[in-house]
């Protein structure tokens, strides 16, 4: 899977269930620093489009609440000023329009195929309290839902207030309130708290949905939107204002569980980079650590020379699949392979001979005779010419390099599960070898493949050498938001990658797993989706124990892509992203690092 933003890529597409109504999801996931959301692509979950406006547009608005006892309103619309967010689905056309007139935004939908919704990613806290308020006068609406509506989701649950001439209705809660919505402007306030939802009209409680806010949020979305929301049903309304405020639940402290045979202590969490996500960390032999967002072609870097305690700006670091050789030589491998006329494949990569002070672009050549094009969760438009290089690469005892890749062999036919049609062919993980420091690769060997495993097959492999000399390979098998996860798998090789054990579950979920083997022999594995988690092995990866979450658990609050690097004999730094309030009170993505000390009892 290639969930990470990597350049000009596409987002997953699909169709939403009611009542995020029959809406095309063309740009459902947005990679944003503040108010708007994300996604990934398998060879694909890729860079998504920001479909509202940038957080900078909101910086001048009222501050959003950020755990404060006195939250502040964030205004999305205050007529006659234009909305601060653009329509995210639909567009102005002859039969779907939004026009500012006489101090109101008139949203008109006379189409049976279009809609027009203004949307903002708000990162509501499912455990906190969120309120949204709109002043609306309905002109007309069809009998179907969402001709004119106000939709809201908190990453766990979602619902929608639909406006009719004689009532308002909470769609999923199946509750309504009779009233005349066309006689004047009315103030509609929605309050959500946990599984409770209430709707007030002009300050009076109209709908009390205690325990009724329970419909699962599609793909874990966390957003608010208003306007004409159904391509099938029509409607017209005057919108004077739209705003929201939220009280965050008190942040929970990271606590490690009691783990038989292990003592895990949680240390300090440090801010590494504000407004970024999908981090990748690389530790050099001299102890320097660099963290870069976006992973494969990072544009920025944050550097530490004191074991991750403090961070400074610097050039972007190596890509996900990178390894330091002797004398400061660093090989940074690309992601996509391209088929050559001779049937082999090329891979763009970078090489440094001075510890990454400078680097040069180059191409390596890969010989994978059975490779065929592979797809991904980008839909039918996503076609990758060959196997994909993710993040697993190590040096063998012989001095050769071994890297993990994923893709398809000729003859692979098992279809992905949970991705709809046309889906893609489930991946297999292979390892390839290089005897010339990564200039050429070949002699592929299947490390993990079972057509019955997971939603996606086996992909995104991480590699590490256990203290007994075995090589461990941990692999993703699923992780699409909105459907139950499938396990993280591990296999092992005792002969330098020539043969591999049958993949076995190591945890109940896991995208982009990363491994670190401490000097004391304990193996630490970080993974996620939902959330971010750690699991441990004190027997060289034979068994795994102590899995626990150390980061947020809803899709949209974290990418669940994280890295782990050693910073001491028994201490690791885990690098991940999360959402937190910025100075203006609006949530922003942060890359942070948390220290964990892991000892044997």
């Amino acid at each position: 899977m290639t969930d990470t933003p990597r350049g000009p890529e596409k987002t997953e597409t699909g169709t939403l269930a009611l009542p995020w109504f029959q809406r095309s999801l063309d740009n459902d996931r947005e990679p944003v620093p503040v108010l708007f959301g994300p996604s990934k692509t398998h060879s694909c979950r890729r860079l998504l489009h920001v479909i509202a406006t940038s957080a900078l547009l909101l910086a001048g608005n009222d501050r959003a609440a950020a755990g404060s006892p006195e939250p502040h309103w964030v205004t999305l619309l205050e007529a006659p000023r234009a909305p601060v967010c653009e329509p995210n689905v639909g567009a102005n056309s002859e039969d779907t329009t939004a026009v500012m007139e006489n101090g109101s935004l008139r949203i008109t939908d006379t189409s049976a195929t279009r809609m027009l919704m203004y949307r903002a990613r708000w990162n509501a806290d499912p455990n906190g309290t969120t309120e949204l308020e709109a002043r609306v006068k309905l002109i007309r609406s069809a009998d179907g839902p969402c001709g004119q509506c106000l939709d809201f989701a908190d990453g766990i649950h979602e619902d929608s207030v639909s406006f009719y001439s004689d009532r308002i209705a909470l769609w999923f809660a199946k509750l309504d309130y009779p009233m005349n919505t066309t006689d004047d402007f009315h103030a509609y306030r929605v309050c959500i708290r946990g599984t409770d939802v209430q709707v007030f009209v002009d300050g009076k409680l109209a709908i009390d949905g205690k325990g009724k806010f329970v419909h699962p949020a599609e793909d874990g979305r966390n957003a608010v939107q208003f306007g004409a929301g159904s391509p099938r049903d029509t409607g017209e309304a005057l919108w004077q204002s739209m705003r929201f405020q939220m009280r965050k639940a008190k942040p929970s402290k990271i606590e490690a569980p009691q783990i038989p045979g292990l003592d895990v202590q949680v240390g300090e969490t440090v801010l590494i980079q504000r407004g970024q996500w999908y981090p990748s960390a690389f530790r050099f032999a001299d102890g320097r650590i660099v963290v870069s967002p976006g992973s494969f072609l990072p544009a920025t870097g944050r550097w530490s020379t004191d074991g991750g305690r403090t961070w400074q700006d610097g050039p972007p670091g190596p890509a996900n699949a990178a390894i330091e050789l002797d004398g400061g030589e660093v090989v940074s491998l690309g992601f996509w392979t391209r088929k050559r006329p001779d049937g082999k494949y090329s891979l763009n990569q970078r090489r440094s001979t001075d510890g990454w002070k400078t680097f040069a672009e180059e191409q390596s050549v890969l010989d994978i005779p059975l490779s065929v094009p592979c797809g991904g969760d980008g839909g039918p438009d996503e076609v990758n010419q060959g196997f994909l290089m993710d993040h697993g690469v190590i040096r063998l005892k012989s001095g050769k390099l071994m890297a993990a890749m994923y893709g398809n062999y000729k003859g692979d036919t098992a279809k992905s599960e949970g991705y709809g049609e046309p889906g893609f062919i489930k991946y297999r993980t292979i390892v390839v070898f290089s005897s010339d420091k990564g200039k050429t690769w070949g002699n592929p060997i299947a490390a993990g493949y079972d057509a019955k495993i997971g939603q996606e097959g086996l992909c995104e492999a991480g590699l590490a050498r256990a203290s007994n000399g075995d090589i461990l390979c941990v692999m993703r098998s699923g992780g699409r938001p909105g459907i139950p996860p499938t396990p993280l798998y591990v296999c092992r090789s005792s002969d330098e990658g020539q043969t591999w054990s049958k993949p076995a579950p190591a945890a109940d979920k896991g995208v982009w797993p990363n491994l670190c083997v401490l000097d004391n022999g304990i193996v630490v594995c970080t993974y996620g989706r939902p959330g971010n988690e750690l699991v441990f092995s004190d027997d060289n990866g034979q068994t795994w124990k102590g899995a626990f979450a150390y980061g947020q658990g809803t899709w949209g609050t974290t990418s669940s892509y994280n890295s782990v690097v050693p910073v001491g004999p028994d201490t690791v730094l885990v690098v991940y992203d999360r959402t937190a309030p910025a100075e203006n009170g609006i949530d922003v993505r942060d890359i942070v690092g948390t220290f964990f000390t892991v000892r044997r009892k």
Side-chain angles (χ1 to χ4, degrees):
M1 258 17 280
T2 60
D3 208 84
T4 327
R6 319 176 188 283
E9 302 188 19
K10 300 174 183 177
T11 171
E12 298 172 3
T13 58
T15 302
L16 289 173
L18 297 174
W20 296 86
F21 267 109
Q22 303 112 16
R23 301 171 192 155
S24 166
L25 276 188
D26 287 345
N27 291 318
D28 180 51
R29 301 180 179 84
E30 322 87 66
V32 283
V34 186
L35 217 101
F36 317 108
S39 185
K40 105 180 200 172
T41 341
H42 245 22
S43 337
C44 95
R45 292 179 183 146
R46 320 232 169 169
L47 182 62
L48 312 147
H49 304 289
V50 177
I51 53 181
T53 186
S54 115
L56 295 176
L57 295 175
L58 290 175
N61 286 331
D62 300 326
R63 296 172 57 200
S68 157
E70 295 298 330
H72 300 275
W73 290 102
V74 173
T75 300
L76 300 179
L77 169 66
E78 188 65 51
R81 289 177 292 178
V84 299
C85 48
E86 298 295 329
N88 73 313
V89 287
N92 275 316
S93 64
E94 183 177 343
D95 49 12
T96 308
T97 61
V99 178
M100 193 67 68
E101 60 179 47
N102 300 321
S104 300
L105 179 67
R106 180 184 291 268
I107 299 178
T108 305
D109 176 15
T110 60
S111 168
T113 59
R114 295 176 181 267
M115 57 272 180
L116 193 152
M117 295 287 283
Y118 289 87
R119 182 182 188 209
R121 188 91 187 181
W122 60 358
N123 286 324
D125 185 350
N127 298 311
T129 299
T130 300
E131 295 179 286
L132 49 150
E133 183 180 87
R135 284 189 57 81
V136 187
K137 179 181 180 181
L138 185 72
I139 304 301
R140 58 178 179 79
S141 181
D143 290 335
C146 279
Q148 293 286 316
C149 61
L150 179 60
D151 294 345
F152 46 92
D154 67 0
I156 301 294
H157 310 114
E158 68 178 49
D159 213 324
S160 175
V161 175
S162 286
F163 299 97
Y164 304 92
S165 60
D166 61 349
R167 70 192 188 283
I168 59 171
L170 273 176
W171 179 255
F172 284 126
K174 301 187 184 304
L175 300 172
D176 59 21
Y177 174 73
M179 64 172 291
N180 185 348
T181 61
T182 64
D183 61 345
D184 202 348
F185 284 94
H186 296 280
Y188 301 92
R189 181 179 292 199
V190 179
C191 177
I192 54 176
R193 181 187 299 109
T195 59
D196 298 337
V197 56
Q198 293 177 313
V199 182
F200 297 81
V201 179
D202 298 328
K204 175 185 175 183
L205 179 62
I207 298 177
D208 189 358
K210 183 175 180 59
K212 295 292 187 179
F213 188 49
V214 294
H215 188 84
E218 180 78 15
D219 280 354
R221 73 188 74 256
N222 196 318
V224 61
Q225 55 186 4
F226 65 95
S230 173
R232 185 178 59 193
D233 295 298
T234 62
E236 184 175 17
L238 301 175
W239 294 77
Q240 282 189 340
S241 63
M242 171 62 200
R243 61 181 187 166
F244 68 85
Q245 65 175 354
M246 56 186 72
R247 288 182 176 90
K248 299 287 186 181
K250 184 178 180 180
S252 58
K253 181 181 178 181
I254 300 174
E255 295 184 357
Q258 294 295 315
I259 305 173
L262 296 179
D263 177 25
V264 179
Q265 298 295 323
V266 183
E268 179 186 10
T269 295
V270 296
L271 175 65
I272 298 174
Q273 190 170 18
R274 176 133 286 188
Q276 297 290 345
W277 69 325
Y278 278 97
S280 177
F282 185 84
R283 184 181 184 274
F284 293 86
D286 61 10
R288 290 175 298 148
I289 303 171
V290 60
V291 171
S292 301
S295 57
F296 281 92
L297 287 174
T300 63
R302 292 281 285 173
W303 293 74
S304 175
T305 58
D306 57 4
R309 301 293 174 182
T310 61
W311 296 85
Q312 299 80 39
D313 288 335
N320 288 343
I323 188 168
E324 186 171 10
L325 307 177
D326 299 328
E329 185 173 6
V330 179
V331 182
S332 173
L333 306 174
F335 179 70
W336 291 279
T337 59
R338 300 288 185 263
K339 194 163 187 179
R340 298 167 16 134
D342 62 2
K344 296 181 181 180
Y345 294 83
S346 63
L347 178 72
N348 292 328
Q349 57 190 45
R350 293 171 174 174
R351 186 179 302 269
S352 172
T353 57
D354 55 9
W356 209 253
K357 295 176 183 177
T358 62
F359 59 80
E361 306 283 348
E362 63 179 34
Q363 278 193 346
S364 61
V365 178
L366 299 91
D367 187 8
I368 310 175
L370 295 179
S371 175
V372 295
C374 63
D377 54 11
D381 292 337
E382 182 183 348
V383 179
N384 303 289
Q385 294 183 24
F387 270 75
L388 304 165
M389 185 77 71
D390 205 82
H391 65 282
V393 55
I394 64 171
R395 196 172 189 177
L396 301 178
K397 295 176 181 178
S398 65
K400 292 182 179 180
L401 302 183
M402 182 176 75
M405 306 183 73
Y406 67 92
N408 293 140
Y409 272 176
K410 183 179 180 180
D412 291 347
T413 58
K415 294 289 293 293
S416 60
E417 300 171 16
Y419 284 86
E421 292 297 335
F424 53 92
I425 302 300
K426 285 185 176 181
Y427 300 119
R428 66 169 64 229
T429 289
I430 65 171
V431 290
V432 292
F433 302 85
S434 174
S435 57
D436 56 8
K437 298 182 179 181
K439 296 175 183 177
T440 60
W441 299 85
N443 303 310
I445 292 175
Y449 181 68
D450 186 333
K452 298 178 181 178
I453 282 180
Q455 302 162 358
E456 307 157 351
L458 294 170
C459 59
E460 292 186 348
L463 298 173
R465 186 181 296 277
S467 59
N468 69 345
D470 286 356
I471 298 174
L472 304 178
C473 177
V474 285
M475 297 163 287
R476 164 182 174 159
S477 71
R480 183 183 187 186
I483 59 178
T486 51
L488 172 72
Y489 283 85
V490 61
C491 60
R492 62 196 308 110
S493 174
S494 301
D495 57 6
E496 298 296 276
Q498 296 304 300
T499 60
W500 294 85
S501 65
K502 182 179 179 180
D508 64 349
K509 66 177 74 69
V511 302
W512 219 64
N514 274 263
L515 293 169
C516 178
V517 181
L518 293 170
D519 290 353
N520 58 23
I522 297 171
V523 184
V524 181
C525 180
T526 182
Y527 60 97
R529 183 80 49 85
N532 300 287
E533 299 198 11
L534 288 174
V535 69
F536 309 90
S537 175
D538 57 5
D539 58 5
N540 299 303
Q542 297 283 353
T543 61
W544 299 84
K545 58 186 177 181
F548 73 96
Y550 60 85
Q552 295 158 311
T554 61
W555 171 244
T557 59
T558 177
S559 68
S560 299
Y561 272 41
N562 36 58
S563 299
V564 56
V565 294
V567 292
D570 54 13
T571 303
V572 296
L573 175 66
V574 177
V575 178
Y576 56 104
D577 59 62
R578 68 182 186 185
T579 55
E583 289 77 7
N584 65 357
I586 300 173
D587 277 356
V588 64
R589 284 190 192 283
D590 288 336
I591 294 176
V592 298
T594 299
F595 295 92
F596 295 87
T597 299
V598 189
R599 302 185 178 98
R600 297 178 188 268
K601 287 183 179 178

